[in-house]
């Protein structure tokens, strides 16, 4: 008997559907659609949920990183260290700020920015480090903060996969100058379109980002700096407000599904280890030495998976102008990782199905 397909994600509103509709209707009835009362209220609510003093809504997570860098004074002539394994947008955001991305390798197991590789990449032009809390697990912020302090560098955290996450108990995005979040629909807190936010405890950074996101205006039609257009919609902000109260429960659910995977998966696949209890499981990547065959096998059993990410940043043609150094651990992750389905709407029987499918692959590989 063939089971129905198990999709990698399901983005349709679920138990929050009625609240999402109410939120959209409220904005339509008000007739005010870009930067307004919903954005302001969401900023206050998201800052509180994230353990920061300020939040500023912007158009995307990429813009959140770029605007944080710009607000911190980073631009032309500056170097910014980025992990070699992340969404390419982390590196693209550095370029959009006018700075040069310098890629440093990741830790072998955790796949987040390695502090010693980061220290080795520092030059006289380095101004900032952008650790990425990849898959929902924080980078080793204790070690990275030491590197930042030793070399007087800013820490700007890419929290696009780590809403409500913590690093050794400290909320992500609050260790250094600030944190950048994405509300792309697949993220742990997702809009029904694009969205992003910066969190910071520094009021002057928050003020500068508010200005930069809106064309650099001080008052309407008075542009004092060359900002960009990166405004958050009222409808998206209202939707995010409707979803935010359920985020903690959804995160707990992700953690419990991840624990079920760890109990049930066969030894032939190796989950990326949980090294920090503040992991929020945006994704559940495993390593398999026969990754592509394993993915094809799961597909024949109706289990949809994705690869995050198949190409390390130094190997992306988009970054070739920056003469990136090879980063072997990032390259190895690109060849070995496979993300299994994990989202709050799954239940433990779905996890069992994926684990059984993984076990069947192992059996099928035993020579006759
Ligand atoms: C999603 C993501 C981004 C970019 O966010 P957008 O909202 O798509 O611009 C940046 N970094 C990481 C790690 C991401 O996962």
């Amino acid at each position: 008997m063939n089971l129905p397909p198990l999709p990698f994600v399901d983005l349709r509103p679920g138990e929050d559907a009625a609240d999402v509709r109410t939120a959209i209707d409220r904005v339509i009835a008000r007739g005010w659609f870009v930067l307004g009362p919903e954005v302001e209220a969401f900023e206050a609510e998201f800052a509180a949920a994230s353990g920061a003093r300020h939040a500023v809504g912007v158009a995307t997570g990429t813009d959140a990183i770029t605007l944080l860098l710009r607000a911190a004074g980073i631009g032309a002539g500056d170097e910014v260290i980025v992990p070699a394994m992340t969404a390419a947008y982390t590196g693209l955001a550095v370029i959009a700020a006018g700075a040069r991305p310098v890629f440093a390798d990741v830790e072998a197991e955790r796949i987040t920015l390695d502090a010693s590789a980061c220290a080795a990449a520092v030059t006289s032009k380095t101004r900032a480090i952008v650790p990425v809390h990849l898959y929902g697990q924080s980078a080793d912020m204790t070690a990275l903060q030491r590197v930042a302090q030793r070399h007087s560098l800013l820490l700007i955290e890419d929290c696009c996969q780590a809403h409500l996450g913590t690093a050794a108990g400290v909320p992500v995005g609050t260790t250094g100058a600030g944190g950048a979040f994405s509300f792309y629909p697949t993220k742990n807190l997702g809009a029904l379109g694009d969205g992003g936010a910066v969190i910071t405890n520094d009021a002057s950074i928050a003020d500068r980002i508010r200005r930069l996101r809106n064309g650099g205006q001080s008052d309407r039609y008075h542009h004092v700096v060359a900002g960009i257009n990166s405004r958050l919609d009222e409808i998206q902000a209202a939707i995010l407000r409707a979803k935010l109260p359920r985020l903690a429960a959804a995160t707990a659910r992700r953690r419990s599904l991840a624990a079920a995977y760890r109990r049930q998966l066969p030894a032939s696949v190796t989950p990326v280890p949980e090294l920090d209890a503040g992991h929020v499981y945006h994704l559940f990547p495993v390593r398999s030495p026969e990754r592509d065959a394993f993915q094809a096998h799961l597909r024949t059993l109706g289990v949809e998976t994705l690869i995050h990410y198949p190409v390390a940043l130094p190997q992306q043609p988009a970054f070739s102008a920056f003469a990136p150094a090879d980063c072997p651990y990032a390259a190895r992750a690109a060849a070995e990782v496979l993300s299994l389905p994990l989202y709050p709407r799954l239940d433990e029987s779905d996890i069992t199905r994926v684990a059984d499918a993984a076990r069947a692959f192992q059996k099928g590989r035993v020579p006759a």
Side-chain angles (χ1 to χ4, degrees), residues 59-65 86-91 93 132-135 158-161 180-184 186-187 194-196 282-283 309:
T60 67
T62 307
D63 283 355
I65 302 167
T86 172
Y89 296 98
T90 313
V132 178
H133 305 308
L134 196 67
Y135 312 134
D158 180 339
C159 309
C160 289
Q161 301 189 356
F181 289 83
S182 167
F183 307 119
Y184 184 73
T186 60
K187 308 292 175 163
D194 278 308
H282 172 55
L283 294 168
Y309 294 91

Side-chain angles (χ1 to χ4, degrees), residues 135-342:
Y135 312 134
Q137 174 157 248
S138 71
D140 182 350
M141 292 305 292
T142 312
L144 289 167
Q145 199 178 14
R146 269 199 298 270
V147 176
Q149 273 163 359
R150 197 179 322 132
H151 299 279
S152 305
L153 306 174
L154 289 165
L155 266 177
I156 285 172
E157 296 169 65
D158 180 339
C159 309
C160 289
Q161 301 189 356
H163 312 71
L164 302 190
T166 55
V170 178
V172 295
T174 64
T175 296
F181 289 83
S182 167
F183 307 119
Y184 184 73
T186 60
K187 308 292 175 163
N188 286 21
L189 179 61
L192 303 191
D194 278 308
V198 167
I199 63 166
T200 180
N201 286 325
D202 182 330
S204 68
I205 285 184
D207 286 346
R208 280 197 284 276
I209 291 173
R210 277 179 214 289
R211 182 174 287 185
L212 285 169
R213 74 174 170 185
N214 199 17
Q217 296 177 77
S218 53
D219 298 292
R220 190 181 269 201
Y221 308 132
H222 293 269
H223 297 258
V224 293
V225 289
I228 62 173
N229 178 351
S230 183
R231 302 176 295 228
L232 184 60
D233 284 7
E234 284 283 283
I235 285 186
Q236 299 306 341
I239 291 166
L240 292 166
R241 291 185 70 199
K243 291 184 162 200
L244 184 57
R246 289 188 177 85
L247 182 57
T251 303
R253 177 111 196 105
R254 284 176 183 274
R255 288 190 51 80
S256 105
L257 293 169
Y261 266 134
R262 289 186 195 283
R263 283 194 303 273
Q264 297 188 33
L265 282 170
S268 56
V269 295
T270 312
V272 171
E274 178 179 309
L275 298 171
D276 190 306
H279 195 328
V280 296
Y281 287 98
H282 172 55
L283 294 168
F284 192 83
V286 298
R287 289 176 185 270
S288 162
E290 296 178 272
R291 191 262 317 271
D292 294 347
F294 181 46
Q295 180 175 40
H297 162 84
L298 293 177
R299 191 182 302 121
T300 64
L301 295 178
V303 176
E304 196 193 331
T305 59
L306 286 176
I307 296 168
H308 299 92
Y309 294 91
V311 183
L313 270 53
Q315 273 76 51
Q316 297 277 10
F319 299 115
S320 60
F322 301 98
D326 277 345
C327 293
Y329 288 124
R332 203 182 91 195
E336 291 184 354
V337 295
L338 183 69
S339 302
L340 305 180
L342 187 151

